[in-house]
Amino acid sequence: MTDDVSAWRQSGTLYVWRYAAPGRSRRGWHFSADPSGCASVVDLIDRMTTAAVACHRTLSLGHVSADIWGVPNFGPPQADRFEKVRIAYLPAASDLSLVDNDGSLDLTIGGTRAGDLKAAFVDVGIGDGDFGIGTSERKNAETWMFWWMPRINCHDGKRL
């Protein structure tokens, strides 16, 4: 079954960032992806959960431009620039975690919260956003925020 995970190839673009200015709605991790990137992450999560064994894949991250971080209008992101995220599936893990590991990100998912992360990317893929998912069932768990991609008119570069 891990052959399916090994055969997976990324398509589209995924974005992950943190905001520089402190504030309740600004803290923590923020995510967006283009529709192809969302479908790609959903496919990877499906493959990982079907394999039901510990496995991982590394994804490239896109540059978080002002159009992307400006969707929620919280100001500029932190200066850190992440180029890759390693997604590890550990079936017994109950929480989601995302850790800065010297400039790259390590995201861990397990069977308990994989469905929530998958659903978030399904929603972003159809243009939804401005919602969060808890990283665990704990009352004060960290919340990851998800945002739609900016709508750009392809002909003149202006926002719709």
Side-chain angles (χ1 to χ4, degrees), residues 1 4-5 44-53 89:
M1 286 293 187
D4 284 345
V5 175
L44 177 60
I45 293 170
D46 279 341
R47 290 173 187 235
M48 289 177 154
T49 57
T50 299
V53 297
Y89 178 73

Side-chain angles (χ1 to χ4, degrees), residues 16 29 61 82 84-86 98-100 103-107:
V16 181
W29 295 102
L61 296 172
F82 303 104
K84 295 183 184 274
V85 60
R86 181 183 186 268
L98 186 60
V99 177
D100 177 354
S104 65
L105 295 173
D106 291 335
L107 189 155

Side-chain angles (χ1 to χ4, degrees), residues 115-126:
D116 295 335
L117 186 60
K118 176 183 166 181
F121 280 106
V122 167
D123 288 349
V124 170
I126 59 171

Side-chain angles (χ1 to χ4, degrees), residues 63-87:
H63 172 71
V64 181
S65 68
D67 283 336
I68 294 168
W69 59 255
V71 166
N73 201 21
F74 292 155
Q78 290 185 11
D80 45 17
R81 162 81 169 94
F82 303 104
E83 294 184 14
K84 295 183 184 274
V85 60
R86 181 183 186 268
I87 299 178

